[in-house]
């Protein structure tokens, strides 16, 4: 495979340098310049996106701020491919799809784009999950990268292990599925040796494990500095657990203090991840309410669900993520997650998901459920 | 300046002496109207007493009055609601939009279509259609087929769980109950609890004794004590609701109770190429837009998709564009309501997918207003499977090479089929309708009629009145055969 075009490599160098300045850097000007440069690349390089922008009367020369860059709804990855340098695709991640039979979105990465993702994982992981450089054993409630090469979460967890985990870190979902005994064993071993662990995985996997513990009356009191990271929420699951309830469960079943329970918002469509700041604040002796942080190489807007125009601080709307890490596909993505901007970050209120039926007409979810049961 | 309305989310007959410990008031606001909704704190004991009270009045009054009188009362109630100056109609036009987000125009249109089909002649026809001679409900009547006499009885007490807010629909359940001389306790949905109590106030104005056989309460779904108290005394339960709610409820309903379930269903339309002529297309497009827009597509009657055959004088893509134009016009006259963030997001995401396919050069066209999710008409070629709409005025107009290709697509969703608009215009229409009937469609009509069924319609494929009845036949009491029976002692 030939090298990426020099223009792309040059902007990747600049973005990487910007990411490596860390999560406390505040440089609005550089972000804006890089965002517009990324937009110019994507406008010129992705013909479908160019047509989408033109229809809205927007071109690189017609705008002067990143806020004006057209966002595309995340579901469009289910309908088409958006790739800046198609001949260079190195990895394709698939969206999970929330209901049976739904088509999956495909998000392709070239080696440079993967490099940017790696940088975001490294810098954000260090800031929000491992500020103490404790190198715990990472126990991942997810299949291994060999088993699930198209799951972006697995890819990300593997990068976290490489950067921050002890050598005995491992993925706990094998060909037979999740074996809770293995996690029990690992937690008992860590407790006996007084070595901290970091348990990471899908939110629903945690809740399943807590149910398992409840049935057997298992309670762990994990060594100090143990922590957990959950991602994915409960979209499309049979049961929903509120954030506070989840944190309480981590205290009750694992003995992990509430600040050490970190939630992550990650999406296949965005290269960067959005962490809770609870662990970082706790270690920095900062007292503040838990919130999600958009790291400096990203911006998160909250937009009116009808007009898709940005809303003032404090109003609830749909989250729109703008991410320099997305250089290889689309910079600005309109999600269907409900959230609110707060000072210094944002809060996710939940996936907007399909609405509740108001009338007697069938909803998409109900039909899917009934047809698959 | 905010306008404040005091509205009851319940109706208890004024003389009902059950002990209500207090009332809660909840405030809802939308735009510059505020609804202060008052609901009583109810207990299992109160519901038990109320059911006693309703049953007693059914026995002493409703059971013995002639059907003709009941129909007259209901007819007068419908006519009051059709009068634009009627006080409760005016109040409902203010309260329902606040509770549901529907536009005032949509609520007014809903009340009109519901009440216009609920007049005296409609009720007599519905009864004749379902049970032959309506007077079976008044006493024994000769049945020539039986060569004997028969009489029909409705339940003494029915409990009706109303669906979330098709505006003005709950009146139908009270009408059906009264027509079979059944007392009725209605459980309103939290989303729109204001119409049903007002409707019963209308009945009380016309015949207070009849209104003493009716009540409306709200309780949270699954409030076991209260529901059990109602089920202890009910003879029939009618339920509108989704699959999950039905499943959890049905387990707790005693076996002796007759249960009618109206689950969530859907509609679609089919137009043949013969119909797509230059002189018909405007009317057809307006009809389709009306089917789409009425009740903001929330009814089980509403179309998710219109299948349109290619090869007509007008192309399917051009027809879709016409439908979009007509939908935009209707949106001006009868605006789409306010919808939840989740519903808006679903429309944005789906539009995005179609827009990309359109930009990629697929045979797709997305028609939508420049801003907002108020309506969407998508043209696409037959995807081969049925895809439900996210609703709130989102219609797919799907081009098919032959209308018969639609049959396997809708057959696959047989259990959900409710309503079909069919306009094929040639000899295939009969065959097509026969197949739809086999698959489970409960109503076939023409485009433009989808939201307005007659009272004679077999709602969800059942006879909504006859299904409630129990019969007594007097058989072979007279005549030679009967006399020949020897009783051996």
């Amino acid at each position: 495979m030939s090298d990426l075009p020099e223009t792309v490599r040059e902007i990747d160098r600049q973005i990487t340098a910007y990411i490596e300045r860390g999560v406390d850097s505040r440089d609005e000007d550089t972000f804006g310049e890089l965002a517009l440069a990324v937009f110019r690349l994507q406008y010129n390089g992705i013909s479908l996106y160019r047509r989408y922008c033109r229809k809205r009367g927007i071109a690189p020369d017609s705008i002067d701020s990143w806020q004006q860059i057209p966002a595309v709804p995340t579901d469009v990855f289910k309908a088409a491919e958006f790739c800046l340098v198609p001949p260079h695709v190195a990895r394709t991640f698939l969206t999970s799809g929330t209901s049976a039979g739904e088509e999956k979105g495909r998000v392709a990465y070239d080696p440079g784009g993967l490099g940017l993702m790696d940088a975001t994982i490294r810098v954000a992981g260090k800031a929000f999950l491992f500020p103490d450089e404790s190198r715990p054993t990472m126990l991942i409630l997810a299949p291994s990268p060999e088993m699930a090469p198209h799951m972006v979460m697995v890819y990300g967890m593997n990068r976290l292990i490489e950067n921050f985990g002890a050598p005995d870190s491992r993925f706990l979902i094998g060909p037979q599925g999740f074996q809770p005994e293995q996690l029990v064993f690992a937690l008992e071993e860590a407790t006996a040796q007084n070595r901290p662990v970091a348990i990471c995985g899908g939110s629903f996997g945690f809740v399943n494990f807590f149910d398992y513990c409840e049935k057997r009356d298992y309670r762990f009191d994990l060594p100090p500095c143990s922590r957990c990271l959950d991602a994915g929420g409960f979209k499309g699951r049979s049961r929903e657990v509120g954030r506070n309830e989840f944190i309480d469960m981590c205290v009750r079943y694992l003995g992990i203090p509430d600040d050490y329970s970190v939630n992550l918002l990650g999406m296949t469509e965005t290269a960067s991840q959005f962490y809770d700041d609870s662990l970082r604040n706790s270690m920095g002796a900062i007292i503040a309410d838990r919130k999600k942080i958009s790291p400096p190489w990203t911006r998160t807007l909250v937009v009116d669900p009808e007009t898709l125009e940005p809303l003032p601080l404090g109003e609830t709307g749909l989250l729109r993520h703008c991410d320099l890490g997305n250089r290889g596909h689309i910079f600005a993505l309109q999600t269907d997650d409900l959230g609110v901007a707060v000072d210094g970050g944002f809060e996710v209120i939940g996936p907007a998901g399909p609405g509740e039926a108001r009338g007697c007409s069938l909803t998409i979810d109900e039909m899917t459920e009934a047809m698959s049961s | 300046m905010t306008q404040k309305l005091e509205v009851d989310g319940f109706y208890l007959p004024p003389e009902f002496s059950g002990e209500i410990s207090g009332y809660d008031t909840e405030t809802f606001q939308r735009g510059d109207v505020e609804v202060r909704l008052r609901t009583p704190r109810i207990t299992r004991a109160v519901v038990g007493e109320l059911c006693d009270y309703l049953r007693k009045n059914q026995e002493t009054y409703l059971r013995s009055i002639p059907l003709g009188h009941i129909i007259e009362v209901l007819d007068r109630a419908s006519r009051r609601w059709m009068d634009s100056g009627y006080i409760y109609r005016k109040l409902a036009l203010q309260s329902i939009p606040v509770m549901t987000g529907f536009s005032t125009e949509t609520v007014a249109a809903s009340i009109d279509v519901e009440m216009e089909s609920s007049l005296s002649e409609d009720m007599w026809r519905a009864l004749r259609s379902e049970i032959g001679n309506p007077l079976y409900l008044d006493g024994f009547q000769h049945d020539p087929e039986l060569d004997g006499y028969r009489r029909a009885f409705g339940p003494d007490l029915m409990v009706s769980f109303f669906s979330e807010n098709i505006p003005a629909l709950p009146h139908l359940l009270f009408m059906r109950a009264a027509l079979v001389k059944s007392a009725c306790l209605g459980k309103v949905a939290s989303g729109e609890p204001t119409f049903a109590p007002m409707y019963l106030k209308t009945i009380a104005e016309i015949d207070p004794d009849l209104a003493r056989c009716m009540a409306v309460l709200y309780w949270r779904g699954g409030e076991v004590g209260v529901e059990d108290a109602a089920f202890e005394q009910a003879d029939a339960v009618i339920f509108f609701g989704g699959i999950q709610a039905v499943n959890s409820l049905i387990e707790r309903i005693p076996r002796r109770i007759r249960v009618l379930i109206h689950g969530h269903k859907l509609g679609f339309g089919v137009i043949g190429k013969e119909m797509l002529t230059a002189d018909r297309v405007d009317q057809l497009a307006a009809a389709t837009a009306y089917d789409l827009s009425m009740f903001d597509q929330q009814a089980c009657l509403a179309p998710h998709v219109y299948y349109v055959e290619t090869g007509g004088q007008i192309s399917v893509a051009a027809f879709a564009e016409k439908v979009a134009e007509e939908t935009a016009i209707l949106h001006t006259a009868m605006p789409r309501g306010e919808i939840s963030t989740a519903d808006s997001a679903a429309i944005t995401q789906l539009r995005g997918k179609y827009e990309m396919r359109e930009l990629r050069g697929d045979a797709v066209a997305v028609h939508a207003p420049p801003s907002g999710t108020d309506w969407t008409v998508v043209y696409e070629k037959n995807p081969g499977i049925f895809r439900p709409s996210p609703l709130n005025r989102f219609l797919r107009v799907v081009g098919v090479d032959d209308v018969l290709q639609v049959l396997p697509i809708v057959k696959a969703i047989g259990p959900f089929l409710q309503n079909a608009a069919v306009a094929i215009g040639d000899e295939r229409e009969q065959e097509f309708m026969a197949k739809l009937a086999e698959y489970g469609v409960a109503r076939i009509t023409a485009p433009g009629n989808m939201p307005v069924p007659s009272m004679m319609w077999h709602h969800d494929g059942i006879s909504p009145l006859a299904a409630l009845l129990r019969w007594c036949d007097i058989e072979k009491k007279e005549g030679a055969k009967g006399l020949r029976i020897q009783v051996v002692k």
Side-chain angles (χ1 to χ4, degrees):
Chain A
M1 198 187 293
S2 61
D3 284 344
L4 288 168
E6 178 50 31
T7 46
V8 173
R9 284 191 288 157
E10 174 52 28
I11 198 158
D12 283 357
R13 280 191 285 272
Q14 293 178 28
I15 295 170
T16 307
Y18 186 73
I19 291 169
E20 283 174 348
R21 287 199 221 166
V23 302
D24 292 322
S25 132
R26 286 279 167 266
D27 181 351
E28 203 50 48
D29 292 346
T30 306
F31 178 82
E33 284 160 23
L34 288 172
L36 290 171
V38 165
F39 173 56
R40 186 177 292 278
L41 273 181
Q42 292 174 349
Y43 181 93
N44 291 326
I46 307 173
S47 62
L48 197 48
Y49 182 54
R50 181 167 62 247
R51 276 174 252 161
Y52 182 85
C53 295
R54 276 190 185 152
K55 205 170 147 198
R56 284 155 180 73
I58 289 179
D61 293 329
S62 73
I63 60 171
D64 52 16
S65 77
W66 61 268
Q67 287 95 334
Q68 295 164 284
I69 297 173
V72 304
T74 43
D75 271 3
V76 301
F77 291 93
K78 294 173 181 169
E81 298 231 359
F82 297 87
C83 185
L84 181 65
V85 279
H88 295 274
V89 169
R91 285 297 278 269
T92 299
F93 297 109
L94 304 181
T95 60
S96 51
T98 51
S99 49
E102 195 188 327
E103 72 267 64
K104 291 177 184 291
R106 300 169 60 83
V107 184
Y109 281 83
D110 59 75
L114 275 184
L116 294 177
M117 192 199 280
D118 293 352
T120 71
I121 292 169
R122 201 166 58 237
V123 176
K126 176 160 170 50
F128 295 107
L129 194 58
F130 300 107
D132 53 346
E133 298 184 35
S134 57
R135 285 226 166 247
T137 299
M138 291 183 65
L139 302 167
I140 314 290
L141 308 183
S144 68
E146 295 74 37
M147 277 180 68
H150 300 299
M151 271 181 78
V152 76
M153 181 174 87
V154 168
Y155 179 88
M157 294 293 177
N158 207 20
R159 297 288 85 75
L160 286 176
I161 290 178
E162 284 173 6
N163 285 291
F164 306 107
D168 61 341
S169 298
R170 57 200 182 269
F171 290 85
L172 292 174
I173 297 185
Q176 274 83 47
F178 175 52
Q179 316 261 301
E181 316 81 65
Q182 290 183 9
L183 181 55
V184 169
F185 176 79
L187 297 181
E188 281 173 346
E189 191 181 51
T191 310
Q193 298 172 358
N194 199 29
R195 287 174 50 210
V197 294
I199 312 170
C200 307
S203 313
F204 202 66
F206 275 90
V207 172
N208 279 340
F209 181 67
F210 296 150
D211 288 347
Y212 173 90
C213 293
E214 179 61 37
K215 274 198 200 116
R216 288 161 183 78
D217 217 12
Y218 290 166
R219 300 287 186 279
F220 299 93
D221 187 11
L222 294 174
C225 290
S226 293
R227 64 206 69 189
C228 59
L229 175 74
D230 76 292
F234 298 93
K235 196 171 181 176
R237 298 293 189 170
S238 53
R239 177 168 155 210
E240 293 207 13
V241 176
R243 199 68 233 148
N244 290 334
E245 193 189 343
F246 187 91
I247 292 168
D248 289 347
M249 286 172 151
C250 294
V251 175
R252 190 173 343 130
Y253 295 105
L254 302 173
I256 291 180
D258 51 5
D259 285 345
Y260 281 65
S261 217
V262 176
N263 178 256
L264 174 128
L265 173 67
M267 312 175 67
T268 308
E269 297 89 345
T270 60
S272 299
Q273 318 84 47
F274 305 95
Y275 284 87
D276 278 359
D277 59 357
S278 60
L279 179 63
R280 178 175 173 80
N281 285 344
S282 178
M283 288 190 177
I286 297 167
I287 296 167
D289 287 341
R290 176 189 289 267
K291 60 186 172 296
K292 292 272 178 310
I293 301 294
S294 302
W297 55 92
T298 67
R299 295 290 183 274
T300 299
L301 297 173
V302 177
V303 303
D304 182 299
E306 276 294 313
T307 63
L308 301 177
E309 294 296 326
L311 287 168
L313 201 71
E315 283 192 31
T316 301
L318 298 174
L319 298 179
R320 175 185 297 175
H321 302 300
C322 302
D323 185 354
L324 294 175
N326 289 358
R327 187 273 297 146
H329 50 285
I330 301 285
F331 170 76
L333 293 169
Q334 182 56 54
T335 76
D336 55 3
D337 285 326
L338 209 54
V340 59
V342 295
D343 192 22
F346 66 95
E347 280 166 18
V348 185
I349 295 172
E356 274 187 38
R358 291 201 301 184
C360 53
S361 188
L362 203 69
T363 60
I364 294 174
D365 259 19
E366 257 196 331
M367 185 159 152
T368 318
E369 188 182 325
M371 301 294 275
S372 58
S373 63
Chain B
M1 170 90 188
T2 301
Q3 188 189 359
K4 291 183 182 170
L5 300 175
E6 307 276 339
V7 183
D8 285 345
F10 69 100
Y11 178 85
L12 291 169
E15 305 81 1
F16 171 65
S17 57
E19 198 69 32
I20 302 287
S21 64
Y23 292 85
D24 293 314
T25 303
E26 209 179 333
T27 303
F28 299 86
Q29 182 158 6
R30 200 182 290 267
D32 50 7
V33 183
E34 181 183 294
V35 167
R36 295 170 59 81
L37 184 76
R38 197 169 68 113
T39 48
R41 286 182 210 134
I42 53 167
T43 58
R44 188 189 170 107
V46 169
V47 173
E49 286 166 38
L50 177 63
C51 290
D52 277 339
Y53 177 89
L54 296 173
R55 287 183 75 100
K56 194 177 101 262
N57 292 327
Q58 190 271 344
E59 188 183 340
T60 56
Y61 180 73
L62 182 52
R63 195 184 286 182
S64 54
I65 54 171
L67 184 62
H69 172 75
I70 297 170
I71 290 179
E72 193 194 318
V73 172
L74 297 173
D75 176 87
R76 283 169 63 191
S78 296
R79 289 180 195 279
R80 285 194 189 183
W81 277 86
M82 286 157 63
D83 173 0
S84 60
Y86 182 53
I87 178 82
Y88 287 124
R89 177 186 167 108
K90 283 158 87 174
L91 188 56
L93 288 184
Q94 291 180 301
S95 69
I96 297 176
V98 173
M99 299 304 298
T100 61
F102 280 119
S103 67
T104 308
E105 293 85 348
T106 295
V107 176
S110 303
I111 292 174
D112 287 341
V113 301
E114 293 296 340
M115 296 302 170
E116 279 163 9
S117 61
S118 301
L119 299 177
S120 169
E121 191 51 32
D122 302 297
M123 291 180 257
W124 285 115
R125 277 181 200 222
L127 285 162
R128 281 200 297 271
S129 154
E130 286 193 42
I131 64 173
N133 182 352
L135 297 182
Y136 287 135
L137 285 158
D138 277 349
F140 281 104
Q141 304 292 328
H142 184 251
D143 178 350
E145 304 297 336
L146 180 71
D147 193 18
Y149 295 83
R150 55 180 26 166
R151 176 166 188 190
F153 295 89
D156 293 343
L157 175 66
M158 260 168 57
V159 178
S160 276
F161 288 76
F162 303 139
S163 70
E164 292 262 319
N165 64 39
I166 295 302
L169 192 63
H171 89 287
L172 188 62
L173 282 303
F174 283 111
M175 285 181 72
R176 284 180 184 160
L179 288 176
V180 298
K181 302 192 179 180
S182 173
C184 183
L185 168 61
K187 188 260 176 199
V188 282
S190 58
E192 206 304 280
T194 70
F195 171 79
M198 290 185 213
Y199 179 72
L200 294 198
K201 285 178 184 169
T202 309
I203 301 290
E205 288 171 354
I206 301 167
D207 181 351
D209 290 321
L210 181 57
R212 285 187 194 102
C213 303
M214 301 171 172
V216 171
L217 289 177
Y218 170 72
W219 61 82
R220 210 169 300 143
E223 211 164 292
V224 176
V226 169
E227 283 176 357
D228 286 351
F231 295 154
E232 263 167 33
Q233 301 211 45
D235 306 292
V237 171
I238 300 190
F239 187 84
F240 283 79
I243 293 160
Q244 282 186 347
V246 170
N247 286 343
S248 67
L249 192 78
I250 208 152
E251 288 165 10
R252 291 187 290 106
I253 299 179
R255 274 246 162 114
R256 63 178 173 77
I257 295 182
R258 204 168 284 211
V259 184
L260 297 187
I261 293 170
H262 297 284
H264 293 171
K265 301 256 182 177
L266 54 80
F268 63 93
V270 179
I271 295 174
K273 63 182 173 197
E274 297 297 324
M275 303 302 291
L276 282 183
T277 56
D279 56 329
R280 283 209 195 97
V281 67
D282 288 343
Q283 203 190 351
L284 212 47
T288 304
Y290 178 71
D291 289 344
L292 163 68
S293 305
M294 192 62 193
F295 310 122
D296 290 354
Q297 213 179 1
Q298 295 292 319
C300 57
L301 298 163
H304 285 233
V305 183
Y306 251 83
Y307 295 98
V308 183
E309 197 173 37
T310 54
Q313 208 181 83
I314 306 291
S315 75
V316 182
F319 176 70
E321 203 177 328
K322 283 266 182 211
V323 173
E325 283 167 19
E326 296 291 345
T327 305
I329 293 168
L330 257 179
H331 174 62
T332 315
M334 184 176 74
R336 208 272 320 264
E338 289 179 22
I339 62 176
S340 71
T341 305
D343 286 342
S344 298
I347 292 170
T348 299
Q349 294 288 342
L350 190 54
R351 271 190 195 167
K353 279 202 277 185
Y354 276 112
E355 187 182 346
M356 289 303 174
R357 290 182 50 198
E358 179 178 7
L359 292 171
R360 196 172 60 189
D362 292 4
V364 166
V366 181
H367 304 282
S371 170
T373 64
D374 291 322
W375 57 267
T376 312
V377 176
V378 170
Y379 160 71
E380 68 174 326
K381 280 198 164 163
N382 182 9
I385 57 163
F386 184 89
R387 294 217 174 90
S389 161
L391 306 180
N392 300 303
R393 305 194 186 181
F394 190 116
L395 184 74
R396 290 178 172 94
V397 174
V398 169
V400 291
D401 293 334
D402 184 327
V403 285
L404 297 180
Q405 289 173 348
V406 175
L407 291 173
I409 297 172
V410 296
K411 187 182 183 185
I413 50 162
F416 304 109
L417 297 176
Q418 177 80 298
N419 194 21
V422 176
I424 294 177
D426 59 37
E427 70 289 348
R428 295 169 301 166
E429 187 163 295
Q430 297 273 332
E431 179 196 344
F432 193 87
M433 293 195 294
K435 287 287 184 199
L436 292 190
E438 281 174 29
Y439 299 160
V441 170
R443 179 171 179 260
I444 300 172
T445 186
N449 287 333
M450 291 190 80
V452 284
S454 73
M455 239 191 118
M456 267 125 326
W457 174 44
H458 289 101
H459 193 161
D460 286 4
I462 46 186
S463 301
L465 296 165
L468 292 168
L469 299 179
R470 119 186 127 69
W471 292 85
C472 175
D473 297 344
I474 301 176
E475 212 173 338
K476 295 176 179 161
K477 187 83 171 50
E478 297 153 15
K481 268 188 179 168
L483 289 176
R484 254 189 257 124
I485 293 171
Q486 300 291 316
V487 180
V488 180
K489 289 193 177 169

